[in-house]
Amino acid sequence: MLSRFMSGPHPAKRRLVAMSSHLGNGPQNGGPTGPAGQTRAKVLTIDSMNPLVKKVEYAVRGPIVARATELEKELEKGVPKPFKQVIKANIGDAHAMGQKPITFLRQVISLCVNPDLLKDESFPADVRERARRILQGCKGGSLDDVMAVPLHTLLESHGIGSYSDSVGVEVIRKDIAAYIERRDGFPSDPDNIFLSTGASDAIKNMVKLMVRGEGRDQTGVMIPIPQYPLYSAVVAELNAVQVNYYLDEDNNWALDIAELERSVKEAREHCTPRVLCVINPGNPTGQVLSKKNVQEIIKFAAREHLFLMADEVYQDNIYADGCAFHSFKKTLFELGPEYAGLELASFHSTSKGYMGECGFRGGYMEVINMDPQVKLQLKKLVSTKLCPPVSGQATMDCVVNPPQPGEPSYESFIKEKTAVLKSLAERAKLVAETFNSIEGVTCNTVQGAMYAFPRIHLPPRAVEKAKSLGQSPDGFYALQLLEQAGICVVPGSGFGQRDGTYHFRTTILPQPDKLKIFMDAFTAFHNKFLQEYSD
Amino acid sequence: MLSRFMSGPHPAKRRLVAMSSHLGNGPQNGGPTGPAGQTRAKVLTIDSMNPLVKKVEYAVRGPIVARATELEKELEKGVPKPFKQVIKANIGDAHAMGQKPITFLRQVISLCVNPDLLKDESFPADVRERARRILQGCKGGSLDDVMAVPLHTLLESHGIGSYSDSVGVEVIRKDIAAYIERRDGFPSDPDNIFLSTGASDAIKNMVKLMVRGEGRDQTGVMIPIPQYPLYSAVVAELNAVQVNYYLDEDNNWALDIAELERSVKEAREHCTPRVLCVINPGNPTGQVLSKKNVQEIIKFAAREHLFLMADEVYQDNIYADGCAFHSFKKTLFELGPEYAGLELASFHSTSKGYMGECGFRGGYMEVINMDPQVKLQLKKLVSTKLCPPVSGQATMDCVVNPPQPGEPSYESFIKEKTAVLKSLAERAKLVAETFNSIEGVTCNTVQGAMYAFPRIHLPPRAVEKAKSLGQSPDGFYALQLLEQAGICVVPGSGFGQRDGTYHFRTTILPQPDKLKIFMDAFTAFHNKFLQEYSD
């Protein structure tokens, strides 16, 4: 929908250009030329390329974000603007918004990268122990007494410069399984753990396993609306059918089972729904599912014979009183033998939580009740990409195996972690409250995750103006917000929303001092906008 | 073809199991059970899954490698074997074979990971400068005087914990473009550079852009035989048509234009060849293309209206006297205006060369003459995966922007780099010479890359024996080599070979002392094998 912002040639005109180019009599535009100065016809054009790729949309990094980057460059060059800096609230990237890395984590990774530093006793003993353990794990060696392993054998070979197993380093998979066991109180098998290049990579692979068929046999993928646009992008690229179910905005974005039932029933008229995707805590909507709701979803998936994909990357980001994270796996296991065979994949990431390590591209997926033959196929599929980045795997290990009480890094680790989560909780509250204090804006409680998804009630004249410009109303609003206030958010149309409603997604990640400036600038913009377009 | 090693149930039997499971009256095998103890039917089974994924094969990490890992575990547990260790010569992973990381590179990355170390003046000044430069680049800031940037602003935000631009950090793209300009003597535009998660990721994205159509419109992808199996895997997964052209073993695996012409002509009977993939230096075949050959390939691609994909990840791995690396880009630009519009993508990686940094998953692609609208589509496509791992991008930066004469790390860097490449050249020679000294084995000169691909002349009784076991003859040979000598190589059938010929791929990467043991063990095995199966 953001493609409405694009000002490329009209499709019909594009075809003409491509044709004339193909006939060798295209315009002499200084481009590559063939014999007699004629333009060489391209093999790969917008018309000849993969049509599925063209259908992909990903607003979180779409044209409005590209415009924000342009504005930053203009500011740097001294071009006068009505704002001093661009605030990029479009993406869940905590470090980009000023959050500092967790010291323990970065120390461990730096020792893995540069094992010469293992000799440096100014690093805490637990940092050195973790790094040795990961390095020894990369080597595939025994882990009986990591500190007793001579340094030169660690330096000798492997380390994080080698490919790991395609599913990830074995010791890290074991640490992840142990983490899940502690979290849920149920067994986790390391053979069910697949490290990945961020959670996106695993989500894509999981959907890829399930796409098939044509017509009514074509795989339907049920996704929430609003959704994180990775899902719609993957569905488009892999030629599956997007099956929408709407979250209930009036009920703090709850997931209503009657709506799931409506959705699956209607989808069965034209495709075969095979997978249900749930994002908990919600992105962009910030709700946290109650245990009862998780139970109902599991029962629905079982009843309707659906594979359940649980995007649980925000499992550490729970803010609102009375809310808690209930993993799908734990809830499934608690439901007992009647549902014990349900197929489930759960995703986690280093990019969110309190660590916010997006750039390392760490992540994992746990699969439950996957058919053993399918699991072999999945292992084969991931092997073609050799392995996820090993430094990202090591980052994941630090997340699932943090310092324990009594270890030298424990106090500072807990202090840093707690400070980040406490501040995020305060910001979640501040953002929603401020939005609700503004005329024409309503916002549900941000119970978890990293975003608010306020609804904006646009005056009819603003809607008309947008339409006259060929833009979506919320896209028009977001572009004005960027150009006038330097605030970069993502229009609701990039996530999906009920027809006739308009929203945007903003992160809650600007540091507290900047967030205040941000909310003030937003308020001023919004009031001016309303004034301009009110009757 | 290696799937012949797999001992899963017969397809017909599999279907029966799936059906009975679906009917809810499957065997009580202790698995998940539904109401009344019946097995819950799986949503995702080998029969219901994506059929394209099933077609993917990737022998470099296939079942024979899985068996090697099992053997390693057995050895660790003290199970007696006719060998003391497994030598994994199946994959181009230099560090796993004992090669040490380049000091400069690891120092720079460790400072990027842990910027507190920027204060540590025991790190050389150029290491600190490079790390500051990369960190400042991640921040998107100006690079006028990196050393003058106060440390606290580098620590303040961004760094390698943030997502980068989806195409990669801008300063790293500029460094790559500058590297290509120095290498080729022709301009390179940073806007044509796409960082990637290893080269595999970029190769897959590039093919993905070009797949389309059905029947005779279906995209044909021309690949060499023997090939690196990533190509056949990508072609299978993306539902393109694999179009084979055979390298000329009798002529040191040269790429014969007449064979390209035969191949494309035959392919046009049933599909639309749109892309020609060339691997230079060759994998698994180790040949280095002459400049004349590169010119001919370019002319062929232009004549036949093909997009050219040049896998140049071994560009630093040239060993044989009289051989040199001629990049497709340089050769294209030298050919002048007649060919100037040819569409080309060239791939590079941190995993090979003298650095062998596989685990960081660094890589890039340069696209030449790509249609601007298609390039926008490519940018959108890569944005759905957010960004390649930033530590891998930083690794790539060290490769394209190494220490310069006069800088403190220069001497040791050159010493380390030269030692690795000199030793690889010696090993390339030793391996081919040893193979050629053995009865029933012939091997072309390893001019470049990291592999030998010897031909094995198997006695008819060995071929019969293999067939009686349902194995490919070279697969049978490779499995015996593993079980009896602990040597893990990949059978030629995993790369493709002319019918009736048998090969295997081995890396030349074991360190010199181990390589001697390896070649001796191989020779002993081979002679015994010949004896056992000779008439």
Side-chain angles (χ1 to χ4, degrees), chain A residues 94-103 106 354-357 416-417 420 427 511, chain B residues 116 151-158 161:
Chain A
H95 291 201
M97 290 283 103
Q99 184 180 309
K100 288 191 174 50
I102 300 289
T103 307
R106 291 299 188 93
Y354 56 90
M355 50 286 178
E357 292 287 3
E416 290 176 7
K417 174 181 170 175
V420 169
R427 284 178 268 164
Q511 290 297 299
Chain B
D116 283 338
L151 185 59
H152 70 86
T153 75
L154 288 179
L155 297 176
E156 208 169 59
S157 69
H158 293 248

Side-chain angles (χ1 to χ4, degrees), chain A residues 383-454:
Chain A
S383 80
T384 65
K385 292 198 271 187
L386 296 160
C387 69
V390 184
S391 52
Q393 296 185 44
T395 308
M396 196 79 241
D397 193 65
C398 294
V399 173
V400 296
N401 187 18
Q404 297 305 306
E407 292 187 327
S409 301
Y410 180 74
E411 302 279 329
S412 67
F413 170 78
I414 289 294
K415 200 176 145 194
E416 290 176 7
K417 174 181 170 175
T418 310
V420 169
L421 290 174
K422 181 165 171 279
S423 171
L424 281 171
E426 286 163 6
R427 284 178 268 164
K429 201 156 175 255
L430 172 72
V431 168
E433 284 176 0
T434 310
F435 282 137
N436 283 319
S437 74
I438 303 171
E439 189 197 337
V441 183
T442 50
C443 184
N444 276 319
T445 306
V446 179
Q447 297 175 327
M450 293 181 167
Y451 316 97
F453 196 67

Side-chain angles (χ1 to χ4, degrees), chain A residues 73-201:
Chain A
K73 292 200 171 172
E74 289 180 22
L75 278 176
E76 211 175 302
K77 284 181 195 151
V79 180
K81 295 281 166 196
F83 44 86
K84 283 186 185 150
Q85 61 175 330
V86 176
I87 298 181
K88 282 190 172 170
N90 58 295
I91 196 159
D93 184 340
H95 291 201
M97 290 283 103
Q99 184 180 309
K100 288 191 174 50
I102 300 289
T103 307
F104 170 79
L105 191 154
R106 291 299 188 93
Q107 287 181 331
V108 171
I109 310 303
S110 64
L111 267 58
C112 290
V113 169
N114 187 356
D116 284 338
L117 295 170
L118 287 169
K119 290 175 283 195
D120 183 346
E121 300 201 350
S122 69
F123 285 99
D126 51 351
V127 165
R128 286 181 290 136
E129 187 270 345
R130 286 298 197 292
R132 277 178 167 265
R133 198 164 167 280
I134 292 168
L135 289 172
Q136 183 73 355
C138 290
K139 208 175 146 68
S142 138
L143 287 173
D144 289 343
D145 183 358
V146 172
M147 294 310 269
V149 175
L151 185 58
H152 70 88
T153 75
L154 288 179
L155 297 177
E156 209 169 57
S157 67
H158 293 249
I160 68 171
S162 285
Y163 295 121
S164 73
D165 286 348
S166 300
V167 294
V169 174
E170 189 178 6
V171 62
I172 299 178
R173 285 185 288 127
K174 286 180 178 168
D175 285 347
I176 292 169
Y179 159 80
I180 295 170
E181 287 190 10
R182 286 196 307 275
R183 185 192 68 189
D184 292 342
F186 291 101
S188 172
D189 182 348
D191 191 52
N192 288 338
I193 308 293
F194 291 74
L195 273 294
S196 57
T197 307
S200 309
D201 172 46

Side-chain angles (χ1 to χ4, degrees), chain A residues 6 9 14 22 32-35 40-51 53-56 58 61 73 76 91-93 95-96 98 106-107 109-110 112-115 117 123 140 142 156-158 160-166 170 197 200 204 206 208-212 228 230 233 237 274 302 305-307 337-343 351-352 356-361 369-371 373-374 376-377 380-381 383-391, chain B residues 6 9 14 22 32-35 40-51 53-56 58 61 73 76 91-93 95-96 98 106-107 109-110 112-115 117 123 140 142 156-158 160-166 170 197 200 204 206 208-212 228 230 233 237 274 302 305-307 337-343 351-352 356-361 369-371 373-374 376-377 380-381 383-391:
Chain A
M6 308 289 294
R14 261 200 263 121
H22 191 76
T33 52
R40 177 178 290 282
K42 299 269 186 222
V43 177
L44 182 58
T45 67
I46 196 77
D47 294 305
S48 72
M49 70 174 285
N50 183 343
V53 171
K54 280 193 274 189
K55 279 168 58 190
V56 169
Y58 191 66
R61 293 215 149 186
K73 292 200 171 172
E76 211 175 302
I91 196 159
D93 184 340
H95 291 201
R106 291 299 188 93
Q107 287 181 331
I109 310 303
S110 64
C112 290
V113 169
N114 187 356
L117 295 170
F123 285 99
S142 138
E156 209 169 57
S157 67
H158 293 249
I160 68 171
S162 285
Y163 295 121
S164 73
D165 286 348
S166 300
E170 189 178 6
T197 307
S200 309
K204 196 166 177 177
M206 201 55 239
K208 190 180 291 167
L209 285 181
M210 285 187 276
V211 296
R212 62 163 289 143
Y228 173 51
L230 169 71
E237 186 191 322
R274 291 198 170 92
H305 201 56
L306 298 168
F307 192 108
E338 191 176 344
Y339 298 96
L342 189 87
E343 294 150 87
S351 304
K352 312 300 171 188
E357 292 287 3
C358 305
F360 284 96
R361 315 304 297 120
N369 295 321
M370 179 175 267
D371 180 287
Q373 288 185 294
V374 174
L376 280 180
Q377 293 287 328
K380 180 190 70 180
L381 179 66
S383 80
T384 65
K385 292 198 271 187
L386 296 160
C387 69
V390 184
S391 52
Chain B
M6 309 289 294
R14 261 198 263 121
H22 192 77
T33 52
R40 176 178 292 280
K42 298 270 186 220
V43 177
L44 182 59
T45 67
I46 196 76
D47 294 306
S48 73
M49 69 174 286
N50 183 344
V53 171
K54 280 192 275 190
K55 280 168 58 190
V56 168
Y58 191 67
R61 294 217 147 183
K73 292 200 171 171
E76 210 176 303
I91 196 160
D93 184 340
H95 292 202
R106 290 299 188 92
Q107 286 181 331
I109 311 302
S110 64
C112 290
V113 168
N114 187 356
L117 295 170
F123 285 100
S142 137
E156 208 169 59
S157 69
H158 293 248
I160 68 172
S162 284
Y163 295 120
S164 73
D165 286 348
S166 300
E170 189 178 6
T197 307
S200 308
K204 195 165 178 179
M206 200 56 238
K208 189 179 291 167
L209 284 182
M210 286 187 277
V211 297
R212 61 164 291 142
Y228 174 51
L230 170 71
E237 186 191 323
R274 292 198 170 91
H305 201 56
L306 298 169
F307 192 110
E338 192 174 344
Y339 298 97
L342 189 88
E343 293 150 87
S351 304
K352 312 301 172 186
E357 292 287 5
C358 304
F360 283 95
R361 315 304 298 119
N369 295 321
M370 179 175 268
D371 180 286
Q373 287 184 296
V374 174
L376 281 179
Q377 293 288 327
K380 179 190 70 180
L381 179 66
S383 81
T384 65
K385 291 198 272 188
L386 296 160
C387 69
V390 184
S391 52

